[in-house]
Amino acid sequence: MSSTPPYETQFPSLNMPNVIPSAFEGVWKPTLDKWGQAMKNAVEGVAEMTALGLGLDQRTFTDAGLYGPHLLAPTASDLNSYGKKDTILAGFHSDLNFLTIHGRSRYPGLHIWARNSGKRIAVKVPPGRYLLVQAGKQLEHITGGLIKAGFHEVVVNEATTQVIEKTKSQGTRPLIRISSTFFWHLSSDYDLEPIQSLQTRAVEVRQQAGEDESEVQTYEKMKVGTQVQNAHGAFFNAEAEREGLEKLRIVNNGGKEERQ
């Protein structure tokens, strides 16, 4: 999904060629390229509209993402094993990229948090040619926090279990939830820093809301690739801490592995 830059990237590990499963060698690339390109075209249209809406040149963001390591990344969950209500399929998080675009899943479960109310909302994408777009951390960074990355999670809810039961009764499709997701990135070697006019507007918005500027996140200048690596490092550090606490809990429980 990416164009090869006319320079040697400083982040080769973030720009690796795709791996094609040998069992699907004949159909994998043309099938996924067709769908991925459609998603890419759609989300780049959103990026251009976002730039215009913010008073910028139409191609401000798409030029910055010309050589981005964009990723079509469908994820699958086996609802035979993980279809119980309140099962977490993807934990609470925000995306590290610029914009994320989703196709409609056959099984509901995506939840978002509204920034203006803090309320958790179950997403309902209507049938038909509709796509859902979410802001990521790169968009938050370049706007100086004017646009925030959206928090979300995927959890089996009442609507999910209803579709599961309906699908079981029909017996025509497997109980596999697939999230058809495309992650659109800025170029790894792009200098990521807040656009001054947007950062100024972000400060004005926070002041109107009565927020304390001393507690606001800072957005330092860095390469996009560094931002991605920092996000990956924070994730793996959190996972290591979680696993360490889990092991400690097991030890304190007399060595019995009784997970909650």
Side-chain angles (χ1 to χ4, degrees), residues 45-161:
V46 174
E48 291 185 346
M49 288 188 286
T50 303
L52 290 173
L54 292 171
L56 307 173
D57 182 86
Q58 178 176 335
R59 291 199 56 82
T60 299
F61 299 139
T62 48
D63 283 349
L66 183 60
Y67 305 115
H70 314 303
L71 184 64
L72 175 64
T75 54
S77 302
D78 184 352
L79 298 178
N80 288 294
S81 301
Y82 304 103
K84 184 180 178 181
K85 188 173 181 295
D86 297 327
T87 299
I88 298 173
L89 303 179
F92 177 83
H93 68 285
S94 59
D95 295 337
L96 61 84
N97 53 301
F98 189 84
L99 287 173
T100 302
I101 186 167
H102 305 259
R104 181 177 184 269
S105 174
R106 289 189 175 90
Y107 296 91
L110 178 64
H111 298 78
I112 61 173
W113 271 259
R115 287 285 185 176
N116 60 340
S117 67
K119 292 183 178 180
R120 179 174 179 263
I121 302 170
V123 173
K124 297 179 181 179
V125 180
R129 302 175 68 178
Y130 297 95
L131 297 167
L132 172 69
V133 181
Q134 292 177 286
K137 296 298 286 186
Q138 290 171 10
L139 179 55
E140 178 177 331
H141 197 122
I142 204 170
T143 62
L146 181 62
I147 298 176
K148 294 284 193 177
F151 288 116
H152 54 284
E153 67 178 0
V154 181
V155 179
V156 175
N157 58 25
E158 187 65 34
T160 319
T161 58

Side-chain angles (χ1 to χ4, degrees), residues 115 136-149 193-195 198-203 205-206 211 216-219:
R115 287 285 185 176
K137 296 298 286 186
Q138 290 171 10
L139 179 55
E140 178 177 331
H141 197 122
I142 204 170
T143 62
L146 181 62
I147 298 176
K148 294 284 193 177
E193 63 179 328
I195 295 172
L198 303 182
Q199 188 171 39
T200 300
R201 286 168 62 183
V203 172
V205 169
R206 290 194 293 267
E211 295 184 25
V216 173
Q217 177 182 343
T218 58
Y219 302 95

Side-chain angles (χ1 to χ4, degrees), residues 176-188:
I176 304 295
R177 183 188 188 277
I178 297 178
S179 172
S180 185
T181 309
F182 186 94
F183 299 95
W184 195 86
H185 286 256
L186 298 181
S187 306
S188 299

Side-chain angles (χ1 to χ4, degrees), residues 5 7-18 69 188-189 225 229:
Y7 52 80
E8 185 175 352
T9 178
Q10 298 178 38
F11 304 93
S13 64
L14 301 180
N15 294 268
M16 301 290 285
N18 292 327
S188 299
D189 297 272
Q229 290 175 337

